[in-house]
């Protein structure tokens, strides 16, 4: 059993995805989340994966090809534009794994303002009972601004429309990552 933030988020969202699901990897990176979503969305489903770095797009295309999935569309565009590709209330699961590309350029990282804009776009795209999983980092190269801004925004989301869960690695030191989830209630 792995308690890494990415594995924990995968375990939590799995029950919301089935064959035929529409899913979004909002930060494709090296393609780990894309491949996870491809597996669970199945032959009848579809995964839209976004990134703004060519290296990430190439790495994700390679991962998906090597894994043998044909249900992914890998898009070289910012996640703030996801509504150009997706209909409102059509998506079962959206994953955000913030920060920089592991093994890549740490200077090209997600930013508070665009991350929050993209979360808002994503919330419009979620269908009822759809889920958004967020891996939020801070400290080191990530700094604290994005984490604080995202947590502040999550607190303000309309509780009649969405359930927001923010979890913690409570007894860990040195700014542990924060797994969070948003579920559309209606
Ligand atoms: C931590 S990595 C994602 C890891 C990835 N999910 C995986 O499974 O390997 C964060 C990624 O977000 C991307 N990113 C940064 N700003 C973005 C934006 N506005 N739209 C889409 N992707 C963005 C970075 O280029 C980087 O590849």
């Amino acid at each position: 059993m792995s308690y890494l933030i990415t594995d924990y988020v995968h375990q939590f969202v799995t029950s919301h995805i089935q064959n035929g699901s529409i899913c979004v990897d909002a930060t494709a990176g090296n393609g780990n989340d894309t491949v996870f979503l491809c597996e669970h969305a199945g032959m009848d489903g579809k995964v839209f994966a976004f990134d703004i770095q060519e290296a990430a797009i190439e790495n994700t295309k390679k991962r998906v090809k090597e894994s043998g999935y044909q249900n992914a569309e890998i898009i070289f565009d910012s996640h703030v534009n996801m509504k150009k590709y997706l209909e409102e209330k059509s998506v079962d699961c959206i994953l955000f794994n913030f920060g920089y590309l592991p093994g890549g350029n740490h200077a090209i990282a997600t930013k508070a303002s665009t991350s929050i804009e993209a979360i808002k776009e994503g919330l419009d795209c979620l269908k009822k009972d759809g889920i958004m999983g967020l891996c939020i980092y801070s400290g080191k190269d990530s700094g604290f601004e994005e984490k604080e801004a995202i947590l502040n925004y999550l607190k303000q989301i309309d509780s009649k429309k969405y359930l927001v869960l923010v979890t913690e690695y409570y007894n860990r030191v040195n700014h542990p990552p924060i797994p969070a989830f948003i579920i559309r209630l209606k």
Side-chain angles (χ1 to χ4, degrees):
M1 190 74 163
S2 165
Y3 299 100
L4 279 175
I5 183 168
T6 44
D7 294 329
Y8 172 70
V9 169
H10 287 180
Q11 284 159 37
F12 198 94
V13 302
T14 299
S15 56
H16 293 257
I17 318 171
Q18 58 195 342
N19 185 31
S21 288
I22 304 293
C23 299
V24 174
D25 182 355
T27 49
N30 289 322
N32 299 307
D33 292 312
T34 303
V35 165
F36 161 79
L37 292 171
C38 286
E39 181 192 341
H40 289 272
M43 300 264 286
D44 301 325
K46 182 142 189 199
V47 179
F48 296 83
F50 295 85
D51 209 291
I52 52 165
Q53 269 193 79
E54 261 176 68
I57 295 294
E58 289 316 310
N59 293 353
T60 298
K61 281 186 179 164
K62 193 162 172 264
R63 272 299 310 276
V64 169
K65 194 171 175 205
E66 282 170 0
S67 307
Y69 294 112
Q70 296 183 335
N71 54 351
E73 184 173 336
I74 297 148
I75 301 167
F76 186 31
D77 198 353
S78 171
H79 41 218
V80 298
N81 296 322
M82 73 171 87
K83 267 162 77 175
K84 277 191 355 199
Y85 306 86
L86 297 153
E87 288 180 23
E88 289 201 9
K89 286 193 154 189
S90 67
V91 178
D92 296 276
C93 178
I94 302 175
L95 295 180
F96 280 91
N97 191 342
F98 297 107
Y100 50 82
L101 179 67
N105 183 351
H106 291 202
I108 307 174
T110 54
K111 293 190 176 54
S113 59
T114 42
S115 296
I116 290 170
E117 202 183 328
I119 294 170
K120 286 182 187 166
E121 299 284 303
L123 292 182
D124 289 340
C125 294
L126 278 186
K127 59 164 76 156
K128 183 177 176 296
D129 295 320
I131 189 163
M132 185 183 287
L134 308 115
C135 296
I136 307 167
Y137 304 93
S138 64
K140 295 193 183 153
D141 291 349
S142 299
F144 295 93
E145 191 205 336
E146 185 180 37
K147 177 191 94 170
E148 279 159 22
I150 292 173
L151 291 179
N152 191 34
Y153 169 66
L154 297 186
K155 192 92 180 159
Q156 297 166 32
I157 292 175
D158 183 355
S159 62
K160 293 194 186 74
K161 277 175 84 175
Y162 300 95
L163 171 69
V164 180
L165 300 169
V166 176
T167 58
E168 283 185 70
Y169 289 96
Y170 196 51
N171 64 344
R172 283 200 192 160
V173 294
N174 297 331
H175 321 298
I178 299 174
F181 305 92
I182 308 173
I183 297 162
R184 185 171 196 144
L185 301 174
K186 59 183 179 187

